[in-house]
Amino acid sequence: MDTIARLLRDGKAEVPVYAIGADRQVDTRILDLAGSPLFVAEGIFAAEIVAECRRRGLLAGAYALRRPRGATFLRRLRRDLAEQRKAPGVLLRRGLTLLRAEPAVLRRQAGLGAQPARGGEIVRRVTELLARHPHHL
């Protein structure tokens, strides 16, 4: 939370770099917003911080991507195989487990304050947010 506050206050902050295959942080880097008033935090755990970001006045919006489960499964499998994140059998089993769990994950994210929406709707909402802050761009 302190890093998010620093990023919004200063426009840049040091952030961790993770290696999924190694299952750990491997480095840090500077994330620079280059004058943008907003940034997008994405990932399975992003909804975990929605309430605290809202409480601190740091939240412009929170969305949980809702797409067809089969499409998510195929995209994830293709990406993970291409990046050789784990052995193919492990990736397939993991992907099937995540496919079955996806409706519960979406319900949990919504319960944490993220609004389920399709990709196009999320892009439209973020574009509207940026249009309200043109003097920062």
Side-chain angles (χ1 to χ4, degrees):
M1 289 305 309
D2 291 339
T3 300
I4 291 171
R6 189 170 28 266
L7 185 60
L8 291 172
R9 182 189 66 233
D10 302 337
K12 64 175 111 178
E14 187 175 20
V15 297
V17 176
Y18 291 95
I20 292 175
D23 207 18
R24 65 182 176 84
Q25 179 182 332
V26 296
D27 202 359
T28 61
R29 70 179 181 92
I30 300 297
L31 176 59
D32 188 332
L33 297 183
S36 177
L38 303 172
F39 71 95
V40 175
E42 61 87 21
I44 190 73
F45 299 113
E48 302 291 332
I49 62 171
V50 167
E52 183 63 13
C53 285
R54 185 173 283 126
R55 188 185 73 71
R56 292 188 185 197
L58 304 174
L59 187 70
Y63 310 102
L65 182 60
R66 183 178 55 216
R67 65 164 53 129
R69 290 170 44 202
T72 301
F73 169 79
L74 290 174
R75 285 179 184 178
R76 181 184 297 124
L77 184 61
R78 184 174 32 244
R79 176 202 66 201
D80 292 351
L81 287 170
E83 294 178 8
Q84 299 178 351
R85 291 182 169 192
K86 307 262 185 211
V90 171
L91 293 175
L92 185 58
R93 284 189 303 278
R94 176 181 169 270
L96 290 171
T97 298
L98 292 172
L99 174 74
R100 288 188 287 274
E102 192 166 322
V105 169
L106 189 60
R107 281 192 304 275
R108 184 170 191 286
Q109 290 174 330
L112 290 169
Q115 300 171 357
R118 295 207 175 270
E121 177 68 12
I122 294 170
V123 169
R124 184 184 65 74
R125 291 178 185 184
V126 170
T127 301
E128 288 172 358
L129 286 168
L130 283 169
R132 289 186 223 148
H133 298 81
H135 59 285
H136 292 289
L137 297 178

